[in-house]
Amino acid sequence: MKEIGILIIGGGPAGLSAAAAAADLGASVLVIERDGKLGGQLVKQTHKFFGSKKQYAGDRGYKIGDFLIEQCENNPKVEVWSGTTALGIYEDGVVTAEGEGKHLKIKPKKIILATGASEKMIAFPNNDMPGIYGAGAVQTLMNVHGIVPGQRVLMIGAGNIGLIVSYQLLQAGVEVAAIIEAAPTIGGYLVHASKIRRAGVPILTSHTIQEAYGKDSVEGAIICKLDENWQAIPGTEQDLKVDVICLAVGLSPLTELCFQADCQMKYVPELSGHVPLRNEYLETTRPGLYVAGDVSGVEEASSAMVEGRLAGICAALGLGYGSDVAPKLQAEALAELSELRSGPAGQKTVQGIKNLMDKGEAVC
């Protein structure tokens, strides 16, 4: 049985930020990560970040990931088990995991869940055909392994992920036939959309895919225009010859461990799915269990890092570390989150958090 002060499940931007913050206050930390490498989504993000200097504005995602990894690796208070998958969180506080073919038991005093999110899929005829990818898979192929997915791509979804991955495809020499978006407006930042349009790629709003076709793999897709009721308009079909269909239609919080740990949950569309109820310091209705990053509601990586820092500070303070400085650090992190969510893009998250707290549902 491994005993530790704080166990962090997930070694992405939120988990690494939590580990560094808690360890800096003196807490002993164990990070478990199911992948062989830390960094989460940051390892495949080649675009530069927005925000402020505190959120590494101007740095590329993978560089930020390298910095966060280095922070943890150089801190003697942080231990990392990569290639280790958390299996369950039990009533007696024991967490079980699997790593290197072994069944492991961990007894932490505090737990921070930073498990991230998974890609959503959509239903259409032949959506299981070879050549159909999630946008994250395409990023992994190109930016981690140096492999292009094909020669001509249809991107479905004009949020930030769809726009950014489309631009990365163009940088890799892959033709993007079009980006289609079911909503009447583009969901991502206009600065990303402008780069795509300048490259000659059409962004078709109020459009969806009707079907994919091909013999052994994708050879094309039929798309069509939608009316104001989101119904296909007959006669607007287009046949696009493509060998890849990339889905960037959103993310869902990975909350299985929250359910299993008996956290009180609520479905909040603005936060992209079922999320755990928690207080402003990110502690859930299970005392001593905190959440940070996309598991608490899908946002940008900048917000995930600040939430991770806040959760790490709060968990360490709960163990008696940093009582002289932690309140100031908590206030600074809360102010950063408020600033990040202050613009138009953050209003959805603000409304989601409000909905999470509404209707008289208690948080600890």
Side-chain angles (χ1 to χ4, degrees), residues 46-230:
T46 58
H47 60 281
K48 292 183 178 180
F49 273 46
F50 298 139
S52 67
K53 186 177 180 181
K54 289 181 180 179
Q55 288 93 47
Y56 311 102
D59 289 328
R60 300 189 185 276
Y62 71 94
K63 289 288 189 182
I64 298 170
D66 289 343
F67 172 73
L68 294 177
I69 292 168
E70 185 180 345
Q71 261 193 325
C72 290
E73 288 180 342
N74 291 340
N75 195 315
K77 288 286 186 177
V78 179
E79 184 177 357
V80 175
W81 293 356
S82 57
T84 302
T85 302
L87 302 176
I89 301 171
Y90 297 95
E91 292 181 0
D92 59 0
V94 172
V95 177
T96 61
E98 184 276 327
E100 298 182 351
K102 297 178 182 178
H103 184 252
L104 308 167
K105 290 185 177 182
I106 308 160
K107 187 65 181 291
K109 296 176 182 175
K110 303 285 184 182
I111 300 170
I112 299 173
L113 285 179
T115 47
S118 61
E119 292 189 284
K120 293 180 180 178
M121 295 290 116
I122 55 174
F124 55 88
N126 299 319
N127 70 346
D128 59 347
M129 186 175 286
I132 298 175
Y133 297 86
V138 168
Q139 272 194 316
T140 301
L141 277 174
M142 293 195 305
N143 300 344
V144 178
H145 301 293
I147 300 169
V148 295
Q151 300 303 313
R152 195 165 194 257
V153 176
L154 168 64
M155 178 66 68
I156 302 176
N160 282 326
I161 294 176
L163 297 172
I164 289 169
V165 175
S166 293
Y167 191 70
Q168 291 173 354
L169 284 161
L170 294 172
Q171 290 177 308
V174 178
E175 182 182 358
V176 179
I179 301 173
I180 62 172
E181 168 60 55
T185 57
I186 293 169
Y189 295 138
L190 293 182
V191 65
H192 296 314
S194 296
K195 290 194 298 184
I196 294 296
R197 284 177 166 150
R198 285 198 299 269
V201 177
I203 302 176
L204 306 175
T205 55
S206 296
H207 278 72
T208 192
I209 183 170
Q210 284 192 319
E211 66 173 300
Y213 65 85
K215 185 178 179 182
D216 297 317
S217 61
V218 170
E219 296 175 11
I222 306 298
I223 66 171
C224 70
K225 189 172 177 59
L226 299 174
D227 63 21
E228 62 274 11
N229 296 315
W230 301 73

